[in-house]
Amino acid sequence: ERAFEMADFLVEQQLPDGQYGMYNTDTGEKTKASSEEMQSEALFGYFYNTGDMCLGAYHLYMLYHEVLREEGIEHSSWKEAAQKCIRFAIRMTGEDGSLGRNYNASGQCDKYAPSISEALMAMDYMYEDTKDESIRECQLKIEHWLYRTFIRTNNYADGCMDGGAWSAAVHLRKTTM
């Protein structure tokens, strides 16, 4: 029952572009980050961490499938919200495969960091469900960027999960870097 409440909350809180804002549970209001939390005044007002949003989308997507399989109940809004969030991360991915940590309403990110493995997990899950090759292509671009930018340089994969959440797609392992 609590999982259903949380899933419905995610659906209700989602912004039109697929992001999630920060939510103050004490006041029941959506909030934005203060400028002290950002690396520059110009990026004040970002929404929520890309990796965390995608981790929530990943679990929401899995819950959708689990409830459908076990109870025969289809909560299509859960699946749609999960896909919308994952597609936000896909849209934010640069041509070089870069994916920012946090984005504001203007689509600017505060910094690039290796802690985006959750986006890769969510994309992988959505690809397995939809077989949409554009998802796989985006995922591979991000994996190559992550490798070139962080892993090859200092053998560092992920700041928040110590690299344990994501392993590169088979395609990346077969390519020369």
Side-chain angles (χ1 to χ4, degrees):
E1 187 175 304
R2 178 70 177 140
F4 284 31
E5 289 174 8
M6 292 171 69
D8 290 337
F9 177 79
L10 282 174
V11 172
E12 291 167 13
Q13 294 301 312
Q14 191 170 43
L15 301 169
D17 67 356
Q19 290 191 85
Y20 288 94
M22 289 187 248
Y23 185 82
N24 184 325
T25 56
D26 294 330
T27 64
E29 297 173 343
K30 289 182 182 178
T31 62
K32 292 181 181 176
S34 69
S35 56
E36 295 84 40
E37 295 172 306
M38 296 302 293
Q39 294 199 351
S40 72
E41 186 69 30
L43 293 174
F44 170 70
Y46 75 92
F47 292 108
Y48 202 69
N49 178 282
T50 305
D52 289 345
M53 285 192 307
C54 286
L55 184 60
Y58 174 69
H59 287 112
L60 184 61
Y61 213 152
M62 288 192 306
L63 181 63
Y64 162 80
H65 281 120
E66 180 75 13
V67 170
L68 182 61
R69 183 178 61 252
E70 295 295 322
E71 299 180 17
I73 301 170
E74 183 167 359
H75 291 272
S76 59
S77 63
W78 298 355
K79 181 178 180 178
E80 291 165 9
Q83 289 181 342
K84 192 175 186 180
C85 180
I86 296 164
R87 290 208 183 279
F88 168 78
I90 291 169
R91 282 192 315 276
M92 292 295 103
T93 301
E95 284 298 316
D96 64 350
S98 57
L99 183 60
R101 184 184 68 169
N102 301 300
Y103 288 89
N104 67 13
S106 300
Q108 298 171 296
C109 71
D110 65 333
K111 72 182 244 179
Y112 293 99
S115 55
I116 56 171
S117 63
E118 299 89 343
L120 293 168
M121 290 179 359
M123 287 178 196
D124 190 54
Y125 194 84
M126 186 170 167
Y127 171 77
E128 290 302 319
D129 184 47
T130 65
K131 301 300 183 209
D132 179 344
E133 286 299 321
S134 68
I135 297 168
R136 178 63 80 211
E137 291 166 14
C138 181
Q139 184 182 16
L140 290 173
K141 282 193 331 187
I142 294 170
E143 289 175 356
H144 283 284
W145 174 81
L146 187 62
Y147 178 80
R148 286 189 317 271
T149 309
F150 295 103
I151 299 171
R152 182 174 58 189
T153 304
N154 57 11
N155 202 26
Y156 184 71
D158 197 325
C160 63
M161 299 180 93
D162 298 325
W166 164 73
S167 59
V170 173
H171 303 289
L172 178 61
R173 291 187 200 120
K174 291 181 180 178
T175 61
T176 305
M177 292 184 236

